[in-house]
Amino acid sequence: MPQSALDTRASYLAQTHRKRLYSGVMLVLLVAMLCGGFMTADDRNAGGFWNGLPHVLDFPAEVLGEAAQKITLLPAHLVTFFPSLLETINIAAAATLAGAIMAIFLALLSTRGLARWPRLIPLFRRLSDIMRAIPEIVIALVLIFILGGGPVPAMIAIAFHTVGALGKLFSEVTENADLKPVEGLASVGAGWMQRMWLGIIPQVSPNFISYALLRFEINIRASAILGFVGAGGIGYDLRNAISWGQGKYDEAAAIFILLFLAIVAVDQLSGLLRNKLVGDTK
Amino acid sequence: MNTATLKSGAVRQVNGKKTLSYALLAAVIAYFAYIFFAFDIAGLGQRASLENARTLVADSYSYKTHITKSNRGAGTLTAAIEGEKKGRYPDGSYPEWVDGNGTDAFVTLRDGTVVELTGKVVYYDVPDYGPIKITTRNSGIDLELPTADVPPFISASRNRVAITVPGGRINVTKSKTEIFRYFTGWEMFFFTLDSPFYGKSPAQLAYLASTAPRIDPNSSNLALMWDGFWNNAMWRHADVAWAIFETILMAFLGTIGAALIALPLAFLSAQNFTKNMVARFSMRRAFDFLRGVDGLIWTIILSRAFGPGPLTGALAILLTDTGTFGKMFSETLENVDEKQIEGIRSTGAKPLQRYRFGVLPQITPVFISQVLYYLESNTRSATVIGAIVGGGIGLLLTQAIITGKDWEEVTYYIVLIVLMVMMMDSLSGWLRSKLIGNKGS
């Protein structure tokens, strides 16, 4: 082998070696951070990890045991709590719908080439960042204080976050939209709304709907959690059933089943729809 | 096909689409109408408490100092910020807008008007209205007004008189007289009253920190200043910082732990790596189960075993995300390029080596990008889960909201949460570009 080729080979091997070393060091560092973090978290926890581990299944066993004893009551419980489940789903659906509609405007207003007021693009982008950064629970708790418990605070809170989250995803889609239809419409004197409605929306709606469906899956979970902190729906019933303790675990089991089935059903349905809309690109 | 049929076809198609879009619009409106009644939005006005909203907004940017005079016993006069023990002025000392001698005082309100407290008598001359005299007796409270009718800014009964004016509020009951004066800002954010640095201007503080003689001979002024700020009893900066760290820790442990567990399992559920149908199918159902049970239920189950705390939150995130990552990773694995594996195989590599050199380099950028995205999203989840399991900033936030009076603290926490999430967002973006360049985005 000529000398230069040998040099190249040696330097390539050295480079690979160094790269692998770096990767190894980073992996070790990551594992060390994980272990350290785990130990810190374990220290701060009320019950230790190793003490608790054998008892992980105690609670599910208790719930299932009681539910099995009162298995005859289960269908009735499923019927009783179905309206709450419907409320949870409605909170998520209304919030997703309202959030998505607002997110469309936010996305269009923050896309270069499409914005109604190009100078305000940074403002709308910041707005979307901030709305995305606020966890639902913050707004929900504040609104519960003002509006009282019930589905409305949860709906507003989830919608607020959805606007930010979808706004960002939507604007990524609109940035790649073809501008020719917009120019064509502009040349015949169409206004901004008409340009967007007729030139952009038909191009991007499959992606928009697909993202909105994905959000809906996330929002159902969020809606259940917000119920748990006092915002109505099945989460609220779940908290009541659980804090009652033994004696109502059959109800808790019914709620677990309903929630699980709803989440899985929505995931499957939306996955199916999304595949139809945008093909198998995920 | 002539132009006429083409045209009529096009018109029919456009009309069809138009009808469809109108139908969609009608469906959306109908759904919102249903929600309007189902959620009883019309009745919201009655349930909503404007009073709460006003307190919330006013408290978030201002605070009040209470001047309290006992109407029983010696009738001592005290001053305390927000009426809290931690914000109390030492006995006999008052803020500069109170001219008091321990029992009686002249209190200047924000608009410059003065309330006189003498014995059991409160005297206040309201601009554009006239003098008000309130006398507390054992039998009840006597209110003397210049007009026959009680004006709307006064609410009076036999046992209680409350006056709200632009400069503040006066509240008289048989047991005590309270005057509230509002100030803009967050009180004692840096130093509490017992700190030698309270009420100093930035210039004074800079002087104290640099060249001034030591206040406490045992430590430098700067250290003392830091100690006063960090261990501030009112705002508890040290605890808040720890809570933020705990929240990020939950997200970190949950996300990275889930990714490390899901990676090998994903191979088991990917069609091109596991030919065994039963193993593949059961692995997939396991992922679906982990995802479907959802963080909320995992949180409840785990907190029974491990008690409240950040570890429980981290494990709840870990379980849910193992399902999510398992599903996403196995989808990625099914899309890998077989050619590279083929190439490695042709050199006589064993299966493990094929995975290491043929598969991992292909999927690492996608995995890292997905994991980093979830790290940011889980910081938000950790805030929510923290509120349920009792850990991190989520717990502080719920506690502050439940007490319903420390809205300045709530505002502070909200600002910190937003900053935390945005920081994690940019951190994950930065890491992504460092680790994988622009390939994964």
PDB file of all heavy atoms in Angstrom, chain A residues 158-184:
ATOM      1  N   ILE A 158     -56.983  23.219  28.157  1.00  0.00           N
ATOM      2  CA  ILE A 158     -56.439  22.330  27.129  1.00  0.00           C
ATOM      3  C   ILE A 158     -56.425  23.048  25.780  1.00  0.00           C
ATOM      4  O   ILE A 158     -55.461  22.932  25.024  1.00  0.00           O
ATOM      5  CB  ILE A 158     -57.260  21.029  27.054  1.00  0.00           C
ATOM      6  CG1 ILE A 158     -57.136  20.276  28.380  1.00  0.00           C
ATOM      7  CG2 ILE A 158     -56.779  20.148  25.925  1.00  0.00           C
ATOM      8  CD1 ILE A 158     -57.979  19.041  28.467  1.00  0.00           C
ATOM      9  N   ALA A 159     -57.482  23.810  25.493  1.00  0.00           N
ATOM     10  CA  ALA A 159     -57.528  24.525  24.219  1.00  0.00           C
ATOM     11  C   ALA A 159     -56.360  25.494  24.117  1.00  0.00           C
ATOM     12  O   ALA A 159     -55.720  25.611  23.074  1.00  0.00           O
ATOM     13  CB  ALA A 159     -58.856  25.267  24.085  1.00  0.00           C
ATOM     14  N   PHE A 160     -56.058  26.165  25.212  1.00  0.00           N
ATOM     15  CA  PHE A 160     -54.975  27.152  25.223  1.00  0.00           C
ATOM     16  C   PHE A 160     -53.652  26.501  24.832  1.00  0.00           C
ATOM     17  O   PHE A 160     -52.942  26.977  23.942  1.00  0.00           O
ATOM     18  CB  PHE A 160     -54.876  27.743  26.634  1.00  0.00           C
ATOM     19  CG  PHE A 160     -53.999  28.947  26.737  1.00  0.00           C
ATOM     20  CD1 PHE A 160     -54.502  30.207  26.467  1.00  0.00           C
ATOM     21  CD2 PHE A 160     -52.678  28.831  27.115  1.00  0.00           C
ATOM     22  CE1 PHE A 160     -53.702  31.322  26.568  1.00  0.00           C
ATOM     23  CE2 PHE A 160     -51.862  29.941  27.218  1.00  0.00           C
ATOM     24  CZ  PHE A 160     -52.378  31.185  26.945  1.00  0.00           C
ATOM     25  N   HIS A 161     -53.366  25.399  25.493  1.00  0.00           N
ATOM     26  CA  HIS A 161     -52.116  24.711  25.177  1.00  0.00           C
ATOM     27  C   HIS A 161     -52.131  24.165  23.754  1.00  0.00           C
ATOM     28  O   HIS A 161     -51.118  24.194  23.048  1.00  0.00           O
ATOM     29  CB  HIS A 161     -51.887  23.585  26.177  1.00  0.00           C
ATOM     30  CG  HIS A 161     -50.644  22.802  25.918  1.00  0.00           C
ATOM     31  ND1 HIS A 161     -49.402  23.302  26.194  1.00  0.00           N
ATOM     32  CD2 HIS A 161     -50.441  21.597  25.366  1.00  0.00           C
ATOM     33  CE1 HIS A 161     -48.500  22.418  25.840  1.00  0.00           C
ATOM     34  NE2 HIS A 161     -49.100  21.366  25.330  1.00  0.00           N
ATOM     35  N   THR A 162     -53.299  23.676  23.334  1.00  0.00           N
ATOM     36  CA  THR A 162     -53.419  23.104  21.992  1.00  0.00           C
ATOM     37  C   THR A 162     -53.119  24.145  20.914  1.00  0.00           C
ATOM     38  O   THR A 162     -52.488  23.833  19.903  1.00  0.00           O
ATOM     39  CB  THR A 162     -54.837  22.527  21.799  1.00  0.00           C
ATOM     40  OG1 THR A 162     -55.060  21.557  22.807  1.00  0.00           O
ATOM     41  CG2 THR A 162     -54.996  21.892  20.448  1.00  0.00           C
ATOM     42  N   VAL A 163     -53.590  25.381  21.134  1.00  0.00           N
ATOM     43  CA  VAL A 163     -53.320  26.440  20.155  1.00  0.00           C
ATOM     44  C   VAL A 163     -51.821  26.563  19.929  1.00  0.00           C
ATOM     45  O   VAL A 163     -51.336  26.594  18.793  1.00  0.00           O
ATOM     46  CB  VAL A 163     -53.906  27.790  20.627  1.00  0.00           C
ATOM     47  CG1 VAL A 163     -53.488  28.904  19.693  1.00  0.00           C
ATOM     48  CG2 VAL A 163     -55.406  27.721  20.714  1.00  0.00           C
ATOM     49  N   GLY A 164     -51.058  26.592  21.025  1.00  0.00           N
ATOM     50  CA  GLY A 164     -49.610  26.743  20.893  1.00  0.00           C
ATOM     51  C   GLY A 164     -48.960  25.541  20.225  1.00  0.00           C
ATOM     52  O   GLY A 164     -48.139  25.686  19.322  1.00  0.00           O
ATOM     53  N   ALA A 165     -49.359  24.344  20.697  1.00  0.00           N
ATOM     54  CA  ALA A 165     -48.719  23.133  20.188  1.00  0.00           C
ATOM     55  C   ALA A 165     -49.041  22.919  18.716  1.00  0.00           C
ATOM     56  O   ALA A 165     -48.151  22.662  17.900  1.00  0.00           O
ATOM     57  CB  ALA A 165     -49.177  21.931  21.013  1.00  0.00           C
ATOM     58  N   LEU A 166     -50.334  23.043  18.374  1.00  0.00           N
ATOM     59  CA  LEU A 166     -50.708  22.848  16.975  1.00  0.00           C
ATOM     60  C   LEU A 166     -50.221  24.001  16.112  1.00  0.00           C
ATOM     61  O   LEU A 166     -49.869  23.812  14.951  1.00  0.00           O
ATOM     62  CB  LEU A 166     -52.221  22.692  16.841  1.00  0.00           C
ATOM     63  CG  LEU A 166     -52.795  21.333  17.262  1.00  0.00           C
ATOM     64  CD1 LEU A 166     -54.289  21.304  17.047  1.00  0.00           C
ATOM     65  CD2 LEU A 166     -52.151  20.204  16.487  1.00  0.00           C
ATOM     66  N   GLY A 167     -50.207  25.204  16.690  1.00  0.00           N
ATOM     67  CA  GLY A 167     -49.749  26.366  15.930  1.00  0.00           C
ATOM     68  C   GLY A 167     -48.357  26.123  15.367  1.00  0.00           C
ATOM     69  O   GLY A 167     -48.076  26.439  14.207  1.00  0.00           O
ATOM     70  N   LYS A 168     -47.490  25.539  16.181  1.00  0.00           N
ATOM     71  CA  LYS A 168     -46.120  25.284  15.721  1.00  0.00           C
ATOM     72  C   LYS A 168     -46.116  24.223  14.620  1.00  0.00           C
ATOM     73  O   LYS A 168     -45.497  24.409  13.563  1.00  0.00           O
ATOM     74  CB  LYS A 168     -45.271  24.826  16.895  1.00  0.00           C
ATOM     75  CG  LYS A 168     -43.848  24.554  16.476  1.00  0.00           C
ATOM     76  CD  LYS A 168     -42.944  24.362  17.648  1.00  0.00           C
ATOM     77  CE  LYS A 168     -41.506  24.320  17.199  1.00  0.00           C
ATOM     78  NZ  LYS A 168     -40.944  23.000  17.183  1.00  0.00           N
ATOM     79  N   LEU A 169     -46.821  23.112  14.861  1.00  0.00           N
ATOM     80  CA  LEU A 169     -46.835  22.033  13.869  1.00  0.00           C
ATOM     81  C   LEU A 169     -47.472  22.503  12.563  1.00  0.00           C
ATOM     82  O   LEU A 169     -46.970  22.225  11.471  1.00  0.00           O
ATOM     83  CB  LEU A 169     -47.611  20.832  14.423  1.00  0.00           C
ATOM     84  CG  LEU A 169     -46.946  20.104  15.592  1.00  0.00           C
ATOM     85  CD1 LEU A 169     -47.881  19.085  16.195  1.00  0.00           C
ATOM     86  CD2 LEU A 169     -45.673  19.438  15.132  1.00  0.00           C
ATOM     87  N   PHE A 170     -48.587  23.248  12.695  1.00  0.00           N
ATOM     88  CA  PHE A 170     -49.275  23.740  11.503  1.00  0.00           C
ATOM     89  C   PHE A 170     -48.364  24.664  10.702  1.00  0.00           C
ATOM     90  O   PHE A 170     -48.339  24.623   9.471  1.00  0.00           O
ATOM     91  CB  PHE A 170     -50.545  24.503  11.894  1.00  0.00           C
ATOM     92  CG  PHE A 170     -51.697  23.619  12.286  1.00  0.00           C
ATOM     93  CD1 PHE A 170     -51.538  22.240  12.343  1.00  0.00           C
ATOM     94  CD2 PHE A 170     -52.939  24.150  12.589  1.00  0.00           C
ATOM     95  CE1 PHE A 170     -52.594  21.409  12.706  1.00  0.00           C
ATOM     96  CE2 PHE A 170     -53.999  23.332  12.944  1.00  0.00           C
ATOM     97  CZ  PHE A 170     -53.825  21.968  13.012  1.00  0.00           C
ATOM     98  N   SER A 171     -47.624  25.517  11.413  1.00  0.00           N
ATOM     99  CA  SER A 171     -46.808  26.485  10.669  1.00  0.00           C
ATOM    100  C   SER A 171     -45.673  25.772   9.933  1.00  0.00           C
ATOM    101  O   SER A 171     -45.225  26.225   8.885  1.00  0.00           O
ATOM    102  CB  SER A 171     -46.278  27.577  11.587  1.00  0.00           C
ATOM    103  OG  SER A 171     -45.251  27.087  12.386  1.00  0.00           O
ATOM    104  N   GLU A 172     -45.230  24.619  10.488  1.00  0.00           N
ATOM    105  CA  GLU A 172     -44.230  23.844   9.749  1.00  0.00           C
ATOM    106  C   GLU A 172     -44.826  23.325   8.439  1.00  0.00           C
ATOM    107  O   GLU A 172     -44.141  23.224   7.425  1.00  0.00           O
ATOM    108  CB  GLU A 172     -43.738  22.669  10.599  1.00  0.00           C
ATOM    109  CG  GLU A 172     -42.641  23.071  11.552  1.00  0.00           C
ATOM    110  CD  GLU A 172     -42.382  22.031  12.621  1.00  0.00           C
ATOM    111  OE1 GLU A 172     -42.828  20.888  12.473  1.00  0.00           O
ATOM    112  OE2 GLU A 172     -41.731  22.396  13.612  1.00  0.00           O
ATOM    113  N   VAL A 173     -46.122  22.991   8.480  1.00  0.00           N
ATOM    114  CA  VAL A 173     -46.784  22.514   7.263  1.00  0.00           C
ATOM    115  C   VAL A 173     -46.970  23.652   6.272  1.00  0.00           C
ATOM    116  O   VAL A 173     -46.644  23.531   5.088  1.00  0.00           O
ATOM    117  CB  VAL A 173     -48.153  21.883   7.605  1.00  0.00           C
ATOM    118  CG1 VAL A 173     -48.870  21.450   6.344  1.00  0.00           C
ATOM    119  CG2 VAL A 173     -47.981  20.716   8.538  1.00  0.00           C
ATOM    120  N   THR A 174     -47.480  24.787   6.766  1.00  0.00           N
ATOM    121  CA  THR A 174     -47.774  25.887   5.843  1.00  0.00           C
ATOM    122  C   THR A 174     -46.491  26.448   5.230  1.00  0.00           C
ATOM    123  O   THR A 174     -46.522  26.978   4.128  1.00  0.00           O
ATOM    124  CB  THR A 174     -48.533  27.028   6.553  1.00  0.00           C
ATOM    125  OG1 THR A 174     -47.840  27.347   7.751  1.00  0.00           O
ATOM    126  CG2 THR A 174     -49.949  26.641   6.869  1.00  0.00           C
ATOM    127  N   GLU A 175     -45.370  26.319   5.965  1.00  0.00           N
ATOM    128  CA  GLU A 175     -44.126  26.816   5.400  1.00  0.00           C
ATOM    129  C   GLU A 175     -43.754  26.066   4.125  1.00  0.00           C
ATOM    130  O   GLU A 175     -43.099  26.614   3.242  1.00  0.00           O
ATOM    131  CB  GLU A 175     -42.996  26.686   6.432  1.00  0.00           C
ATOM    132  CG  GLU A 175     -42.598  28.021   6.999  1.00  0.00           C
ATOM    133  CD  GLU A 175     -41.868  27.882   8.316  1.00  0.00           C
ATOM    134  OE1 GLU A 175     -41.090  26.935   8.446  1.00  0.00           O
ATOM    135  OE2 GLU A 175     -42.091  28.733   9.184  1.00  0.00           O
ATOM    136  N   ASN A 176     -44.165  24.799   4.054  1.00  0.00           N
ATOM    137  CA  ASN A 176     -43.849  23.998   2.873  1.00  0.00           C
ATOM    138  C   ASN A 176     -44.959  24.011   1.830  1.00  0.00           C
ATOM    139  O   ASN A 176     -44.870  23.286   0.848  1.00  0.00           O
ATOM    140  CB  ASN A 176     -43.571  22.554   3.294  1.00  0.00           C
ATOM    141  CG  ASN A 176     -42.336  22.476   4.164  1.00  0.00           C
ATOM    142  OD1 ASN A 176     -41.358  23.160   3.904  1.00  0.00           O
ATOM    143  ND2 ASN A 176     -42.399  21.677   5.200  1.00  0.00           N
ATOM    144  N   ALA A 177     -45.997  24.827   2.071  1.00  0.00           N
ATOM    145  CA  ALA A 177     -47.108  24.844   1.122  1.00  0.00           C
ATOM    146  C   ALA A 177     -46.688  25.547  -0.169  1.00  0.00           C
ATOM    147  O   ALA A 177     -45.805  26.410  -0.171  1.00  0.00           O
ATOM    148  CB  ALA A 177     -48.308  25.547   1.739  1.00  0.00           C
ATOM    149  N   ASP A 178     -47.343  25.148  -1.246  1.00  0.00           N
ATOM    150  CA  ASP A 178     -47.065  25.746  -2.547  1.00  0.00           C
ATOM    151  C   ASP A 178     -47.726  27.123  -2.606  1.00  0.00           C
ATOM    152  O   ASP A 178     -48.923  27.258  -2.342  1.00  0.00           O
ATOM    153  CB  ASP A 178     -47.642  24.828  -3.637  1.00  0.00           C
ATOM    154  CG  ASP A 178     -47.254  25.310  -5.014  1.00  0.00           C
ATOM    155  OD1 ASP A 178     -46.472  26.272  -5.094  1.00  0.00           O
ATOM    156  OD2 ASP A 178     -47.743  24.719  -5.987  1.00  0.00           O
ATOM    157  N   LEU A 179     -46.943  28.164  -2.977  1.00  0.00           N
ATOM    158  CA  LEU A 179     -47.492  29.522  -2.963  1.00  0.00           C
ATOM    159  C   LEU A 179     -48.177  29.889  -4.266  1.00  0.00           C
ATOM    160  O   LEU A 179     -48.793  30.950  -4.369  1.00  0.00           O
ATOM    161  CB  LEU A 179     -46.384  30.533  -2.657  1.00  0.00           C
ATOM    162  CG  LEU A 179     -45.850  30.483  -1.225  1.00  0.00           C
ATOM    163  CD1 LEU A 179     -44.795  31.541  -1.014  1.00  0.00           C
ATOM    164  CD2 LEU A 179     -46.974  30.655  -0.228  1.00  0.00           C
ATOM    165  N   LYS A 180     -48.073  29.034  -5.288  1.00  0.00           N
ATOM    166  CA  LYS A 180     -48.634  29.404  -6.590  1.00  0.00           C
ATOM    167  C   LYS A 180     -50.136  29.666  -6.538  1.00  0.00           C
ATOM    168  O   LYS A 180     -50.598  30.654  -7.101  1.00  0.00           O
ATOM    169  CB  LYS A 180     -48.301  28.322  -7.615  1.00  0.00           C
ATOM    170  CG  LYS A 180     -46.848  28.372  -8.036  1.00  0.00           C
ATOM    171  CD  LYS A 180     -46.621  27.639  -9.342  1.00  0.00           C
ATOM    172  CE  LYS A 180     -45.133  27.502  -9.596  1.00  0.00           C
ATOM    173  NZ  LYS A 180     -44.633  26.188  -9.154  1.00  0.00           N
ATOM    174  N   PRO A 181     -50.933  28.801  -5.883  1.00  0.00           N
ATOM    175  CA  PRO A 181     -52.368  29.092  -5.824  1.00  0.00           C
ATOM    176  C   PRO A 181     -52.649  30.441  -5.169  1.00  0.00           C
ATOM    177  O   PRO A 181     -53.556  31.173  -5.591  1.00  0.00           O
ATOM    178  CB  PRO A 181     -52.940  27.959  -4.979  1.00  0.00           C
ATOM    179  CG  PRO A 181     -51.924  26.897  -4.997  1.00  0.00           C
ATOM    180  CD  PRO A 181     -50.608  27.546  -5.216  1.00  0.00           C
ATOM    181  N   VAL A 182     -51.835  30.791  -4.148  1.00  0.00           N
ATOM    182  CA  VAL A 182     -52.040  32.062  -3.462  1.00  0.00           C
ATOM    183  C   VAL A 182     -51.779  33.219  -4.412  1.00  0.00           C
ATOM    184  O   VAL A 182     -52.546  34.188  -4.484  1.00  0.00           O
ATOM    185  CB  VAL A 182     -51.109  32.155  -2.234  1.00  0.00           C
ATOM    186  CG1 VAL A 182     -51.328  33.457  -1.504  1.00  0.00           C
ATOM    187  CG2 VAL A 182     -51.330  30.981  -1.318  1.00  0.00           C
ATOM    188  N   GLU A 183     -50.685  33.101  -5.191  1.00  0.00           N
ATOM    189  CA  GLU A 183     -50.373  34.167  -6.153  1.00  0.00           C
ATOM    190  C   GLU A 183     -51.470  34.278  -7.192  1.00  0.00           C
ATOM    191  O   GLU A 183     -51.886  35.375  -7.564  1.00  0.00           O
ATOM    192  CB  GLU A 183     -49.033  33.869  -6.840  1.00  0.00           C
ATOM    193  CG  GLU A 183     -47.850  34.159  -5.942  1.00  0.00           C
ATOM    194  CD  GLU A 183     -46.593  33.450  -6.422  1.00  0.00           C
ATOM    195  OE1 GLU A 183     -46.524  33.057  -7.602  1.00  0.00           O
ATOM    196  OE2 GLU A 183     -45.684  33.276  -5.592  1.00  0.00           O
ATOM    197  N   GLY A 184     -51.946  33.120  -7.654  1.00  0.00           N
ATOM    198  CA  GLY A 184     -53.027  33.120  -8.633  1.00  0.00           C
ATOM    199  C   GLY A 184     -54.258  33.831  -8.106  1.00  0.00           C
ATOM    200  O   GLY A 184     -54.845  34.685  -8.776  1.00  0.00           O
TER     201      GLY A 184
END
